[in-house]
């Protein structure tokens, strides 16, 4: 249960201010919400399986190497989040003018959404977090379910609440906090090497 809750909380915090949320918001401005949600969730499911599989393979490494790899992955995630959190980019987000959903088929809209999010998740902080937690905790099913649940909630917020959430949450602040949390996890993994 600890693995599930840890993965859920960490991935939720990382994904709220992430490009994944913005991409889902933009897709929702172009297509109907149902197909976007289905495509995005399918992409998340595949990416979670990949991240958990990678993290499971990492558990085969010797403890010293595993700790170094986990510290490096969390360090990379911290760098990515802090770089984005402290960037001077426009915080208003990509609020596309809402012309209305395009009249595309469910399958085409879902496949487009799948492709966009599947590509966006490669090397993403949530993917690194899922792999790292799997390697550290050693419970791939619980970590995968927790990460997937968090990703589905973020997708649901983006699809159903839409642009309103961007005006209420300061993405830069959340990215900075998540970046410092990742840096702390990286330091903790390195400290464990001394003991």
């Amino acid at each position: 249960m600890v693995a599930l809750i840890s993965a859920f909380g960490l991935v939720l915090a990382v994904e709220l201010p992430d490009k994944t949320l913005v991409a889902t918001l933009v897709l929702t401005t172009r297509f109907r919400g149902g197909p976007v949600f289905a495509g995005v969730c399918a992409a998340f499911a595949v990416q979670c399986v990949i991240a958990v599989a990678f993290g499971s393979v990492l558990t085969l490494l010797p403890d010293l190497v595993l700790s170094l790899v986990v510290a490096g992955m969390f360090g990379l995630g911290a760098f990515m989040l802090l770089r984005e959190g402290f960037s001077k980019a426009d915080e208003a987000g990509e609020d596309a003018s809402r012309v209305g959903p395009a009249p595309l088929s469910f399958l085409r809209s879902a496949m487009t959404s799948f492709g966009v999010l599947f590509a966006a998740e490669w090397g993403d902080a949530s993917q690194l977090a899922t792999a790292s937690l799997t390697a550290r905790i050693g419970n791939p099913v619980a970590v995968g379910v927790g990460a997937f649940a968090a990703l589905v909630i973020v997708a649901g917020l983006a699809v159903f609440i839409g642009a309103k959430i961007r005006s209420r949450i300061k993405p830069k602040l959340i990215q900075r906090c998540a970046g410092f949390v990742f840096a702390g996890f990286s330091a903790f993994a390195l400290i464990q090497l001394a003991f």
Side-chain angles (χ1 to χ4, degrees), residues 88-165:
K88 301 290 185 213
D90 181 22
E91 288 193 33
E94 301 175 31
D95 189 19
S97 60
R98 199 162 180 80
V99 180
L104 294 176
S105 71
F106 184 96
L107 183 61
R108 185 158 178 203
S109 299
M111 292 302 290
T112 301
S113 300
F114 175 89
V116 168
L117 268 293
F118 185 77
E121 281 296 299
W122 281 104
D124 193 56
S126 64
Q127 193 177 42
L128 293 172
T130 303
S132 299
L133 285 173
T134 300
R136 177 58 54 202
I137 297 173
N139 189 342
V141 173
V143 171
V145 169
F148 180 70
L151 290 167
V152 167
I153 286 176
V154 170
L157 287 172
V159 169
F160 296 113
I161 298 174
K164 293 179 184 179
I165 195 168

Side-chain angles (χ1 to χ4, degrees), residues 11-12 15 17 34 56 69 75 94 111 113 129 131 142 158:
V11 171
L12 186 66
E15 283 300 316
S56 296
V69 169
E94 301 175 31
M111 292 302 290
S113 300

Side-chain angles (χ1 to χ4, degrees), residues 5-19 21 81 124-126 129 146-147 149-151 153-154 157 169-179 181-182 185:
I5 293 169
S6 298
F8 178 83
L10 186 58
V11 171
L12 186 66
V14 167
E15 283 300 316
L16 275 176
D18 195 53
K19 65 186 176 292
L21 179 102
L81 287 165
D124 193 56
S126 64
L151 290 167
I153 286 176
V154 170
L157 287 172
I169 293 177
K170 299 288 185 206
K172 296 290 184 187
L173 178 62
I174 295 173
Q175 286 172 327
R176 292 172 189 165
C177 292
V181 168
F182 267 46
F185 285 150

